[in-house]
Amino acid sequence: MEFDFFSGVQAELLNASPRNKGKIGEQLRFIFDKLIESSGATRAVEVGAYEASFAKRFKRRHPDSNVIAYEANPNVFEHFKKEVTRTGVDYRHRCVGPENSQIEIAIPRDFRGIRRPANNQMASLMSNLHADDVDKVQVDCVRLDDDVLPSPEDVIALWVDVEGATSQVFGAAKKTLERTAALLVEVESRPIWEGQWLAADVDAFLRSCGFVALARDTQRVHQFNFIYANPRLVDLKPYVRLVSRYLAGTHVFAS
């Protein structure tokens, strides 16, 4: 089963109204939740968590499960830590990246001329191409494999929103990805961060790891989320019909 997301898909999704884009996002999360449930996921990991909405949702549905949410921006972490930890999520002030060490992250304070507060969602290991004013801070960095410590019995649901640093995260996550059944990742089709993997690069890497792309949405002109599934850990046959019905009429999914 293969889906083509890089031909006529972009134009059709971009022409959707803001209301329909919202519906598309809701449907994408619905498919992701269904994928997680059918995989029997035992753990959840959210990287670039901000308020940890995915981690909290998973914890509510699976109160006995191990759920970790990583947030690198110290301003964001301080703002949300009481709320998130109260839910039972293991909310960690750490950057996920290529090494276990202290590392510098950049927090854009403006973007394309628009001012941003210190607790914004754009902190990254990568340099932003459209920010002139940037706060640089040192934070603890961990390799995902070394911090999650996946076991051969784990079935992981993974959410990654790391502001262009996908290569940095996935490059140190081989064992975690091997035990990941369902993955949602934010990508861009045009660079926002210097040296970042674009959507096609992320797709090529994940396919080389055995993942199958199931669905995508559109958040902004060149930014969107992908759902990937690991056919070694979840049966994809039920999703052919579900995905085909999703966004019926937009021709997003071609088997």
Side-chain angles (χ1 to χ4, degrees):
M1 178 176 57
E2 293 289 337
F3 298 105
D4 178 11
F5 296 96
F6 296 99
S7 54
V9 175
Q10 185 79 355
E12 296 208 31
L13 283 179
L14 291 180
N15 289 331
S17 68
R19 179 181 178 184
N20 284 339
K21 286 181 181 179
K23 289 181 179 180
I24 290 166
E26 291 175 6
Q27 291 172 337
L28 191 82
R29 290 188 292 274
F30 173 78
I31 288 179
F32 192 54
D33 287 345
K34 287 293 186 183
L35 184 64
I36 290 169
E37 292 300 320
S38 65
S39 73
T42 58
R43 301 181 67 182
V45 179
E46 184 171 6
V47 185
Y50 197 63
E51 81 279 26
S53 57
F54 166 66
K56 290 186 293 187
R57 188 167 75 246
F58 189 96
K59 189 66 175 178
R60 283 195 301 270
R61 295 177 177 177
H62 309 279
D64 297 327
S65 62
N66 175 264
V67 181
I68 306 172
Y70 294 95
E71 176 52 52
N73 186 331
N75 308 292
V76 171
F77 181 80
E78 289 299 318
H79 183 77
F80 287 113
K81 68 177 182 179
K82 287 185 179 179
E83 173 195 338
V84 177
T85 55
R86 193 165 49 234
T87 68
V89 170
D90 184 358
Y91 192 48
R92 301 182 181 181
H93 177 213
R94 296 174 190 169
C95 173
V96 175
E99 58 192 41
N100 299 315
S101 66
Q102 281 266 312
I103 202 165
E104 184 178 85
I105 64 168
I107 305 171
R109 298 304 306 277
D110 70 327
F111 181 69
R112 300 185 189 275
I114 300 174
R115 292 298 299 169
R116 299 229 167 203
N119 63 341
N120 68 65
Q121 294 177 263
M122 297 190 73
S124 179
L125 282 168
M126 318 294 279
S127 296
N128 194 290
L129 297 172
H130 306 286
D132 296 318
D133 184 9
V134 176
D135 291 343
K136 295 185 177 181
V137 297
Q138 293 283 325
V139 300
D140 289 333
C141 181
V142 294
R143 299 173 76 257
L144 199 60
D145 281 349
D146 296 338
D147 211 57
V148 171
L149 295 172
S151 76
E153 291 75 36
D154 283 336
V155 179
I156 297 172
L158 179 60
W159 184 296
V160 177
D161 183 353
V162 289
E163 307 305 307
T166 48
S167 63
Q168 307 270 22
V169 173
F170 289 150
K174 179 181 178 181
K175 294 178 182 178
T176 302
L177 290 172
E178 287 175 352
R179 299 310 308 165
T180 295
L183 165 62
L184 188 145
V185 57
E186 183 185 77
V187 296
E188 289 78 32
S189 59
R190 287 190 180 177
I192 298 175
W193 293 271
E194 186 177 357
Q196 74 172 102
W197 274 359
L198 297 180
D201 302 310
V202 175
D203 183 69
F205 173 79
L206 290 173
R207 287 179 187 271
S208 76
C209 295
F211 284 87
V212 173
L214 285 184
R216 57 153 287 189
D217 66 2
T218 182
Q219 294 178 303
R220 297 175 181 85
V221 174
H222 298 290
Q223 187 177 60
F224 37 94
N225 294 297
F226 264 113
I227 291 175
Y228 287 87
N230 186 340
R232 293 182 293 104
L233 296 176
V234 61
D235 181 9
L236 296 186
K237 291 180 182 178
Y239 289 91
V240 175
R241 179 174 296 180
L242 179 62
V243 169
S244 296
R245 290 170 54 193
Y246 167 61
L247 295 183
T250 64
H251 310 295
V252 172
F253 305 103
S255 58

